[in-house]
Amino acid sequence: MQASIERQHYKIIFTGPVGAGKTTAITSLSDERAITTDEQASDMTQQRKQATTVAMDYGVMNLGKNERIHLYGTPGQERFDFMWDILVEGGIGLILLLDNTRSNPFQDLHFFLKAFSDFIDKNKVVIGVTFMDKQPVPSLDDYYQKLSGMKCGLPIFEVDSRQQQDVATLVQALLYSHDPWLGV
Ligand SMILES: Nc1nc2c(ncn2[C@@H]2O[C@H](COP(=O)(O)OP(=O)(O)OP(=O)(O)O)[C@@H](O)[C@H]2O)c(=O)[nH]1
Ligand SMILES: [Mg+2]
């Protein structure tokens, strides 16, 4: 009789400010058609883009035969922040995307690390800085200095969330910091 191999399931959450590229990242990574809840933006958000996530994004990555990574994206808008605590439930790690073209990305960094602090206390975090093609400052070095000043040495990468390989690197770094035996 053939022994059945149990599949391992892991959950990762993408968060970050409006327009940082969370929905795009999950769509880039998902092996199945991603589920999104984007609606026409009706407020300030519309100045940056047409649609915004109102509940969540969902996608899935298959790692070999035995592992599935479930990818959840939060809405960026604070008025939907009631979803944030719901979406992190059962997660093993958080990917924080920061848009370098926003007026104060360090403030966004502080804000999201604080908003998710309960989850971060118990789980891993990796940071991806998007839109560096449009705005190279602050540099990754500036972020390193800011993080070391906050006494948290979190992994940080430059990414373009439209590029599958870039966002796969974030997932890989998160899985590796969770368990060095896992990888994509
Ligand atoms: N130039 C550039 N464009 C990017 C980059 N990353 C993402 N984009 C684009 O920026 C937009 C990001 O939009 P979304 O993925 O909807 O952003 P989101 O974080 O899900 O936003 P909310 O759901 O509103 O919080 C898309 O049009 C992407 O194609 C990047 O690094 N550089
Ligand atoms: Mg979105």
Side-chain angles (χ1 to χ4, degrees), residues 54-68:
V54 297
M56 58 178 270
D57 308 301
Y58 172 73
V60 66
M61 290 170 76
N62 296 312
L63 297 194
K65 286 190 193 131
N66 302 325
E67 274 132 13
R68 266 163 90 79

Side-chain angles (χ1 to χ4, degrees), residues 53-157:
T53 302
V54 297
M56 58 178 270
D57 308 301
Y58 172 73
V60 66
M61 290 170 76
N62 296 312
L63 297 194
K65 286 190 193 131
N66 302 325
E67 274 132 13
R68 266 163 90 79
I69 314 293
H70 300 271
L71 310 166
Y72 286 79
T74 71
Q77 291 192 53
E78 273 181 74
R79 65 193 170 111
F80 301 121
D81 65 359
F82 58 90
M83 286 301 297
W84 298 356
D85 288 343
I86 297 170
L87 289 173
V88 294
E89 194 63 41
I92 60 158
L94 186 73
I95 292 178
L96 171 56
L97 295 182
L98 296 171
D99 172 351
N100 227 32
T101 63
R102 279 174 50 98
S103 56
N104 193 340
F106 288 153
Q107 192 176 309
D108 295 334
L109 171 69
H110 280 279
F111 174 84
F112 280 92
L113 292 181
K114 187 153 181 273
F116 287 86
S117 58
D118 287 349
F119 181 80
I120 292 171
D121 282 349
K122 299 182 209 97
N123 300 284
K124 303 293 181 189
V125 191
V126 170
I127 300 170
V129 184
T130 57
F131 286 88
M132 289 193 98
D133 54 317
K134 297 248 159 133
Q135 175 56 268
V137 179
S139 66
L140 284 191
D141 259 0
D142 297 330
Y143 280 97
Y144 281 126
Q145 282 184 22
K146 187 55 82 177
L147 288 164
S148 65
M150 292 160 62
K151 299 207 175 7
C152 55
L154 300 175
I156 183 158
F157 298 86

Side-chain angles (χ1 to χ4, degrees), residues 18-24 49 52-53 76 131 133 159-162:
V18 167
K22 304 174 293 294
T23 300
T24 308
K49 61 196 184 81
T52 188
T53 302
F131 286 88
D133 54 317
V159 296
D160 183 329
S161 63
R162 299 166 297 181

